[in-house]
């Protein structure tokens, strides 16, 4: 099956992925006078079992030569590390800030996050 794009016929593409994740989350709660201070630390390792580079065939419309795209392979091994600190006021209102990182041979990604949550 192919779909027509601008000037080319591209084969359909499916990818099979099987990933394992092994990790731990740890939280510590310290009761203060007006709120509970919550510190969280998380770490995990993710492994992709199908980390092969794929190709996608296409041909130019009314052309005879076959061509292909190389599809970026998923990261085989990545490590996630994160830490956050928050304050829980009563049982329903929480404010927190965090820092998360994902590390592999191919890239490093750092993200900052914040949360204001009211539960009812």
């Amino acid at each position: 099956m192919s779909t027509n794009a601008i000037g080319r016929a591209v084969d359909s593409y499916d990818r099979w992925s099987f990933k394992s994740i092994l990790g731990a989350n740890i939280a510590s709660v310290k009761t203060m006078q007006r709120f509970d201070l919550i510190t969280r630390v998380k770490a995990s390792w993710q492994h992709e079992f199908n980390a092969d580079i794929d190709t996608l065939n296409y041909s130019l419309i009314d052309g005879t030569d076959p061509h292909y795209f190389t599809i970026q392979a998923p990261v085989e091994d990545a490590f996630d590390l994160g830490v956050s600190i928050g304050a829980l006021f009563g049982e329903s209102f929480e404010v927190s800030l965090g820092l998360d990182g994902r590390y592999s041979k191919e890239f490093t990604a750092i993200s900052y996050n914040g949360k204001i949550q009211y539960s009812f």
Side-chain angles (χ1 to χ4, degrees), residues 29-38 86-91:
V29 179
K30 182 176 182 181
T31 301
M32 309 299 272
Q33 286 183 353
R34 295 185 178 166
F35 60 91
D36 290 336
L37 184 65
I38 304 170
L88 180 61
F89 299 89
E91 294 183 11

Side-chain angles (χ1 to χ4, degrees), residues 35-84:
F35 60 91
D36 290 336
L37 184 65
I38 304 170
T39 305
R40 296 181 178 101
V41 177
K42 62 182 179 180
S44 67
W45 166 60
Q46 298 182 23
H47 178 75
E48 171 64 54
F49 290 93
N50 185 19
D52 298 330
I53 294 175
D54 285 343
T55 58
L56 180 62
N57 297 320
Y58 74 95
S59 60
L60 298 176
I61 294 177
D62 296 328
T64 58
D65 295 331
H67 303 281
Y68 66 92
F69 297 109
T70 300
I71 306 294
Q72 176 69 42
V75 173
E76 186 171 7
D77 290 298
F79 298 92
D80 289 341
L81 300 171
V83 63
S84 69

Side-chain angles (χ1 to χ4, degrees), residues 102-115:
R102 176 168 282 182
Y103 308 95
S104 74
K105 289 190 296 188
E106 291 84 8
F107 70 90
T108 297
I110 304 289
S111 64
Y112 306 94
N113 57 69
K115 173 172 72 170

